Amino acid sequence: MARNDRGANSAPSQQALHDSPAPDEGDGVVTSPRIGDRVAKTTCYMCACRCGIDVHLRDGKIRYINGNKDHPVNQGVLCGKGSAGIMQHYSPARLRKPLLRTGPRGKGEYREIEWDEALRIVTERLARIRATDPKKLAFFTGRDQSQSLTGWWATQFGTPNFAAHGGFCSVNMAAAGLYSIGGAFWEFGEPDWERSKYFMLFGVAEDHDSNPIKIGLGKLKANGAKVVGINPCRTGYNAIADEWIGIRPGTDGLFVLALVHELLRAGKVDLDYLIRYTNLHQLVIRDPGAADDGLFLRDGDGNILSWERDKRTTAISSDPAISPAMSGTFQALGRTVSPAFQLLAERYLSKGYAPEAVADSCGVPAATIRRIAAELAKVAFEEEIELPIAWTDWAGREHKTMKGRPVSMHAMRGISAHSNGFHTCRAIHLLQVLLGTVDVPGGFRYKPPYPKPVPPPLKPAGKDGGKPDTPLAGAPLGFVTDPADLLVDENGGPIRIDKAYSWQAPFSAHGLMHMVIRNAHDGDPYPIDTLFLYMANMAWNSSMNTTETARMLTAKDGNGDYKIPFIIYSDAYHSETVSYADLVLPDTTYLERHDCISLLDRPISHADGPGDAIRHPVLEPDRDVRGFQSVLIDLGARLGLPGFVNDDGSAKYRDYADYIVNHERSPGIGPLAGWRGEDGDRHGRGAPNANQLERYIEHGGFWHHEFRPEERFYKMANKAYLETAVQFGFLPKAEPIILQIYSEPLQRFRLAAKGHGPVQPPESERERVATHFDPLPFWSEPLEETLISTEDYPVHALTQRPMFMYHSWGSQNAWLRQVMNQNKLFVHRDLAASQGLDDDDWVWIESPHGRVRGQITLVEGVNPNTVWTWNAIGKRRRTWGLHADAGEANRGFLLNHAITELLPPDAKGRRFSNSDPVTGQAAWFDLRIRLVKCSPEEAGTTAPLDPPVELPPGLSEGPDKLTYGAEFKPTHKPRERAK
């Protein structure tokens, strides 16, 4: 039973729930209750873990949800979010029918329409755009886990303006890893939970990969490993760490490079590993001012060269028989050259990276930095693991055992969401590689289909901006390696609306979702016609500045027309963004549709083998809603997009389920890898199998393949693994993957900024590119801090997503809301005392960009000069099925009101995106603020406090009290005991 008073815990519901009969109040205990009529095994969607769940159904309703014990992700473990999926499904915020706006944007005034009318409106509008200028459609999606489909749809439509959630969340993490080691943390790799003896967490909150990390941490603790948490906030994982380092936000890279300094100074690096698996022995040209300065030395056939130590001459780097020099300066082919490791050592052995030099900036004592470096070295080099497993490397060399250094690391958004995050992420990978801990026993391990070549050989398409009625030449997202790969026009200006793959964000592998609305509003670089959004709450917590975003979504031009002419939005729930859409396409809940957690996207693999999974309808919708993926496939057919129609123009796929089974991205490779082939006897590669989904359902909703022991480590150079990767379609050839610690693609961009090459940046971009496209990781001060007065705004401000909720989704949930329905600002006691603040005071949180009002709580587990709060608890009034006077909307607050998507003007008056200049990652963790105590008249409610929105037709405010499950309780009286 969930208690919900209107002021504090107004809860979601639906009429069928609170009209159910009251339970019998007998005093008997039923020891063997009938839980359900059947159990459906599917995949959770209460966060991004993708755990397996057992959904118990009774009388056509969900009775209970527990973890699937056979599932490779969670092994039966399920968190509170997963169990509360019942109330996510039965939320009164569920949209019920397509909606067409009837009043001004932002008011929430709509009329219900039929699907035929809704799809006709979309088809006519998009057909006109596609026939004239496809880039006038901007198609951006949120945390939808179906980017393989949505990206392919955008490709077939012909718009380069597609991206997803990653540019707002973790593109620094992904890009830095893929440009360094061919994999990355979290979805692309994981620690060796079984064998690691020293584990470092950088900037990891509890919302991502929550259950697997909890399981893993339990194993580490049981095995006696040391866990070190590096995070300004001591919550969750960091609270159970053996050592917590409350670092100053945005300085993790400086801290890591000081560790590198100490390891180099002590000679504690794995040179054999570096020679075998990295490019650090390759020769770099040292000729300042030359067009090839900083590039690798190549022979006449294009082979990269190293210096043969014994023969004192050059040799082809890829020759496994060479003994390359790792240090020194040489003359070769008429050029002055040094191994990349020499350049690395020169940089990080400098005094600027010494612990004493960085301690004050990081807020970490020099002695602590030196001790942690010594601990890393001791575990890595004195506690080596050796598994009795023979294997053969790519060159045919046989190894009797698999050796590993049991140090592992994991990082996430706390590292990624800074303007220096790309190089900080690269620095962490540098640290791992120097210790020899990438894909070895006890270290960081790749999760299939990774590792990929560094970077993956997929270029972003759309250089022509999109031709009428023509698909793009390739996918809209990819990886550039040369200025010629950029999506820029003849003047160097951006082709994409978000300016991804332009000189402002060249390595933007996930796009810049956070810049779409600002650029579309400004018509910069051009106006668009239609903004098409899916499950991206961009009018609220997925915006940089919520107040400004609402203004831009409703802004009109001189003719009285909206600056963004048309907005289509699909969501399952009445989120804040719904009220700004012109047309709303209602999605299903995750228990009412098919989904595909695919190896083409973000699968459920673990390091010992690939895996994927499905969702399938556990219940039929009781509303007039359709799964967005099926709607997208329907639209593709209506528009006649290639790949969505047969030769006769008929629809190629019935719906998303049909697409999952029958679509092939390349011959034999489809969305699902299990039970392929006409008879379902193939795995990884094979013809479509008409019964594939049934086989998945029979197997608990997932497929998983276990690698042989000899395939499980050294995947970047393991002959057996590389051959299997080709068989499964992960790699085109069984060739080794060289870890690129010295990044030649970065250097090519730096050379272009210095005036070399046919494609060069505009004058306004040269300095930024030359500074930030360094081939070796470096630390720089967060951009916002260089443009504001840090004396006026002396405090860092962060948000974290809680373990018990995820994005906006969780804080509508009747059960989860009882954990929290008002977020507070956590302030260190010493900081509060210096400002004259007491526990529970109300304060203004002021930045150079805006201010928001909230209530504080005093704590000690936070960096003394940092404040933080839970994100996405605060809501706009009367959204998400909450009462207008709900705690979330009146006392909870959203820190985004104080963040900005554009940096303050620089010395030349230019305003750049508040993003990492390499990848375009949103830098919302660079926020600086000051605290101002509220007057008594101001205290008690949050600000800004927007007017309540109108409820769409068919929705009503939730009940004051919600009883769920009473109808399942036995109503019979227990038998009397014999006397």
Side-chain angles (χ1 to χ4, degrees):
M1 186 171 73
R3 184 153 183 250
N4 296 274
D5 40 26
R6 298 170 68 96
N9 248 340
S10 53
S13 175
Q14 70 176 34
Q15 197 68 28
L17 299 181
H18 58 84
D19 281 353
S20 58
D24 184 84
E25 297 298 331
D27 59 356
V29 175
V30 179
T31 57
S32 300
R34 181 170 68 94
I35 296 177
D37 306 318
R38 65 185 179 95
V39 177
K41 294 180 181 290
T42 186
T43 304
C44 187
Y45 206 173
M46 293 298 289
C47 78
C49 277
R50 296 152 295 197
C51 296
I53 53 174
D54 295 346
V55 183
H56 298 258
L57 297 146
R58 182 169 161 186
D59 301 329
K61 294 181 180 179
I62 306 171
R63 178 70 178 92
Y64 184 70
I65 298 177
N66 63 270
N68 179 351
K69 295 181 180 179
D70 299 320
H71 201 276
V73 169
N74 57 314
Q75 303 159 42
V77 173
L78 197 65
C79 66
K81 294 193 301 292
S83 297
I86 296 174
M87 302 316 296
Q88 204 79 355
H89 175 75
Y90 290 122
S91 166
R94 294 182 304 170
L95 298 171
R96 309 191 66 82
K97 202 171 180 66
L99 302 171
L100 188 64
R101 180 174 58 82
T102 58
R105 278 191 197 160
K107 298 296 185 183
E109 298 173 3
Y110 293 91
R111 67 175 176 90
E112 292 182 338
I113 61 174
E114 301 302 322
W115 274 101
D116 284 345
E117 181 181 359
L119 293 174
R120 177 175 52 78
I121 292 170
V122 178
T123 303
E124 290 176 356
R125 192 167 196 104
L126 297 191
R128 175 176 51 78
I129 294 171
R130 186 167 186 262
T132 54
D133 189 354
K135 72 176 181 294
K136 292 297 184 75
L137 170 65
F139 179 36
F140 285 73
T141 69
R143 205 66 174 86
D144 59 278
Q145 300 178 9
S146 60
Q147 291 170 37
S148 169
L149 168 64
T150 54
W152 184 65
W153 190 94
T155 297
Q156 302 309 99
F157 184 89
T159 180
N161 290 323
F162 166 81
H165 177 78
F168 192 69
C169 176
S170 59
V171 68
N172 272 339
M173 194 62 55
L178 291 171
Y179 276 89
S180 300
I181 63 170
F185 296 115
W186 186 40
E187 290 173 314
F188 305 164
E190 65 183 344
D192 188 344
W193 299 113
E194 305 285 347
R195 304 172 186 87
S196 188
K197 299 180 181 179
Y198 199 98
F199 178 52
M200 301 182 78
L201 284 143
F202 292 90
V204 180
E206 291 75 55
D207 60 325
H208 280 85
D209 215 22
S210 176
N211 288 331
I213 289 180
K214 286 182 286 188
I215 295 169
L217 285 171
K219 292 178 179 178
L220 292 177
K221 288 282 190 177
N223 293 337
K226 180 172 181 178
V227 177
V228 180
I230 300 96
N231 196 313
C233 316
R234 188 166 201 184
T235 62
Y237 310 140
N238 297 283
I240 66 164
D242 298 288
E243 182 173 0
W244 170 61
I245 296 175
I247 198 164
R248 185 169 77 83
T251 64
D252 303 77
L254 201 53
F255 168 75
V256 170
L257 294 176
L259 296 176
V260 169
H261 172 94
E262 288 295 288
L263 292 172
L264 290 170
R265 194 175 62 83
K268 295 296 185 179
V269 296
D270 191 338
L271 288 175
D272 289 341
Y273 184 96
L274 300 181
I275 291 171
R276 285 182 181 270
Y277 307 119
T278 80
N279 68 350
L280 288 176
H281 57 82
Q282 295 177 352
L283 293 173
V284 178
I285 297 168
R286 308 190 75 167
D287 189 359
D292 57 359
D293 177 49
L295 301 182
F296 289 120
L297 183 69
R298 289 172 166 83
D299 65 15
D301 294 324
N303 298 304
I304 299 176
L305 302 176
S306 294
W307 186 260
E308 173 61 68
R309 188 174 51 214
D310 298 328
K311 299 178 181 178
R312 301 186 63 79
T313 187
T314 58
I316 295 174
S317 293
S318 58
D319 183 351
I322 66 170
S323 299
M326 295 294 283
S327 61
T329 300
F330 314 101
Q331 297 297 314
L333 303 184
R335 312 302 299 276
T336 301
V337 293
S338 292
F341 186 81
Q342 173 71 34
L343 278 68
L344 181 152
E346 290 173 8
R347 170 169 294 182
Y348 304 124
L349 283 172
S350 67
K351 293 181 179 180
Y353 287 110
E356 289 78 9
V358 308
D360 287 344
S361 296
C362 295
V364 182
T368 300
I369 297 173
R370 284 194 296 271
R371 174 177 53 78
I372 290 175
E375 291 173 357
L376 288 169
K378 181 179 186 300
V379 173
F381 296 103
E382 298 180 24
E383 300 181 34
E384 185 179 66
I385 292 176
E386 191 165 4
L387 303 181
I389 301 171
W391 66 287
T392 303
D393 67 25
W394 66 274
R397 294 172 294 201
E398 295 183 355
H399 305 261
K400 294 182 179 180
T401 62
M402 288 182 165
K403 298 179 180 180
R405 306 196 185 281
V407 173
S408 60
M409 299 172 195
H410 183 63
M412 202 42 217
R413 189 187 297 113
I415 300 298
S416 193
H418 291 284
S419 58
N420 58 18
F422 175 79
H423 279 287
T424 294
C425 297
R426 290 200 76 225
I428 296 172
H429 290 304
L430 164 66
L431 178 60
Q432 292 189 115
V433 168
L434 290 177
L435 291 169
T437 66
V438 172
D439 215 53
V440 301
F444 166 86
R445 303 183 66 194
Y446 296 111
K447 291 161 61 171
Y450 299 91
K452 297 287 189 181
V454 183
L458 177 66
K459 307 291 186 183
K463 290 181 74 69
D464 57 8
K467 296 179 180 179
D469 289 325
T470 305
L472 297 178
L477 300 177
F479 302 89
V480 304
T481 58
D482 186 274
D485 299 331
L486 291 178
L487 302 186
V488 293
D489 60 25
E490 61 276 9
N491 299 315
I495 285 174
R496 288 176 51 115
I497 186 65
D498 60 353
K499 303 185 181 181
Y501 306 110
S502 74
W503 289 105
Q504 292 191 22
F507 284 15
S508 47
H510 289 175
L512 282 73
M513 186 179 84
H514 58 291
M515 293 305 301
V516 174
I517 292 172
R518 163 63 70 178
N519 293 350
H521 166 272
D522 293 348
D524 177 20
Y526 47 79
I528 64 169
D529 179 283
T530 296
L531 178 61
F532 192 1
L533 303 174
Y534 172 50
M535 210 164 80
N537 196 15
M538 294 175 69
W540 198 249
N541 61 291
S542 288
S543 66
M544 292 290 273
N545 186 285
T546 305
T547 303
E548 268 291 284
T549 300
R551 181 191 67 79
M552 292 185 287
L553 289 172
T554 56
K556 295 184 177 182
D557 60 21
N559 297 322
D561 299 320
Y562 286 114
K563 290 188 174 183
I564 303 175
F566 200 70
I567 300 174
I568 306 168
Y569 184 47
S570 180
D571 202 322
Y573 304 102
H574 181 217
S575 70
E576 285 86 356
T577 301
V578 166
S579 298
Y580 294 93
D582 300 297
L583 178 66
V584 179
L585 305 177
D587 192 18
T588 60
T589 73
Y590 71 100
L591 296 174
E592 297 171 321
R593 68 162 177 259
H594 284 95
D595 269 333
C596 180
I597 299 93
S598 171
L599 282 159
L600 300 178
D601 194 350
R602 288 169 167 156
I604 60 162
S605 303
H606 62 63
D608 288 334
D612 56 23
I614 65 166
R615 297 187 184 94
H616 59 98
V618 171
L619 293 169
E620 291 298 320
D622 58 357
R623 310 161 318 286
D624 191 10
V625 299
R626 299 182 184 181
F628 176 75
Q629 292 82 0
S630 290
V631 170
L632 202 61
I633 287 169
D634 187 353
L635 287 171
R638 290 169 183 255
L639 290 164
L641 302 184
F644 288 88
V645 291
N646 298 308
D647 292 340
D648 62 0
S650 60
K652 189 168 186 177
Y653 305 110
R654 179 187 66 252
D655 54 17
Y656 189 40
D658 191 28
Y659 166 92
I660 291 171
V661 170
N662 291 302
H663 176 71
E664 290 183 281
R665 192 55 53 93
S666 59
I669 302 294
L672 292 174
W675 297 286
R676 300 194 65 81
E678 292 183 6
D679 298 324
D681 57 354
R682 305 288 299 277
H683 296 281
R685 189 191 297 268
N689 168 21
N691 298 314
Q692 188 180 39
L693 290 179
E694 287 73 16
R695 295 297 301 273
Y696 270 81
I697 293 170
E698 291 169 4
H699 195 254
F702 69 93
W703 165 85
H704 185 71
H705 170 80
E706 288 283 335
F707 288 141
R708 293 171 292 162
E710 64 267 26
E711 297 175 311
R712 295 183 177 185
F713 294 97
Y714 296 95
K715 295 185 184 75
M716 64 281 193
N718 184 319
K719 185 174 186 291
Y721 169 77
L722 293 170
E723 290 173 349
T724 297
V726 172
Q727 175 189 337
F728 276 91
F730 303 158
L731 294 171
K733 297 179 181 179
E735 295 178 345
I737 293 167
I738 306 301
L739 311 186
Q740 305 284 321
I741 299 306
Y742 183 93
S743 177
E744 195 175 49
L746 285 165
Q747 180 64 12
R748 291 194 189 107
F749 278 83
R750 171 178 272 188
L751 288 171
K754 292 183 176 181
H756 300 292
V759 182
Q760 297 179 23
E763 195 62 37
S764 60
E765 311 287 350
R766 288 184 186 271
E767 182 181 355
R768 276 167 50 97
V769 174
T771 299
H772 294 282
F773 280 73
D774 195 307
L776 288 170
F778 77 107
W779 181 82
S780 59
E781 190 176 5
L783 293 178
E784 184 167 347
E785 294 185 20
T786 67
L787 297 170
I788 65 171
S789 169
T790 55
E791 292 182 359
D792 291 338
Y793 301 96
V795 179
H796 298 269
L798 304 174
T799 60
Q800 288 199 117
R801 301 202 190 280
M803 186 181 292
F804 50 87
M805 292 180 184
Y806 187 67
H807 288 255
S808 295
W809 311 342
S811 49
Q812 65 165 318
N813 189 293
W815 292 351
L816 300 178
R817 292 182 61 232
Q818 293 178 82
V819 180
M820 177 181 295
N821 79 324
Q822 176 194 350
N823 59 313
K824 294 185 179 181
L825 188 72
F826 295 97
V827 181
H828 196 282
R829 294 183 184 279
D830 293 344
L831 176 61
S834 70
Q835 307 258 332
L837 298 174
D838 295 320
D839 206 20
D840 286 337
D841 276 350
W842 284 79
V843 298
W844 285 104
I845 307 159
E846 297 182 344
S847 78
H849 325 293
R851 65 178 190 162
V852 60
R853 190 165 65 211
Q855 195 174 16
I856 70 170
T857 287
L858 305 189
V859 295
E860 293 180 354
V862 65
N863 175 278
N865 202 43
T866 301
V867 298
W868 71 276
T869 189
W870 298 119
N871 191 30
I873 303 297
K875 292 283 182 279
R876 187 173 179 183
R877 287 185 287 174
R878 297 188 80 192
T879 60
W880 295 100
L882 305 179
H883 284 289
D885 54 359
E888 288 88 345
N890 292 275
R891 294 184 297 281
F893 66 94
L894 192 70
L895 195 60
N896 301 54
H897 290 289
I899 306 174
T900 179
E901 74 277 352
L902 289 179
L903 290 167
D906 65 9
K908 298 180 180 179
R910 301 169 301 183
R911 297 193 69 185
F912 290 100
S913 169
N914 185 14
S915 310
D916 189 302
V918 179
T919 66
Q921 158 85 56
W924 36 292
F925 278 1
D926 286 350
L927 180 65
R928 298 289 294 258
I929 59 102
R930 63 189 174 209
L931 299 176
V932 178
K933 186 173 182 178
C934 290
S935 67
E937 295 77 20
E938 293 173 320
T941 59
T942 189
L945 192 62
D946 294 324
V949 299
E950 294 295 322
L951 292 174
L955 297 189
S956 59
E957 291 187 297
D960 294 333
K961 182 178 180 181
L962 169 63
T963 300
Y964 181 77
E967 63 269 42
F968 299 123
K969 189 173 181 180
T971 57
H972 65 274
K973 294 283 187 181
R975 289 180 297 176
E976 293 186 8
R977 298 178 183 174
K979 295 182 180 179

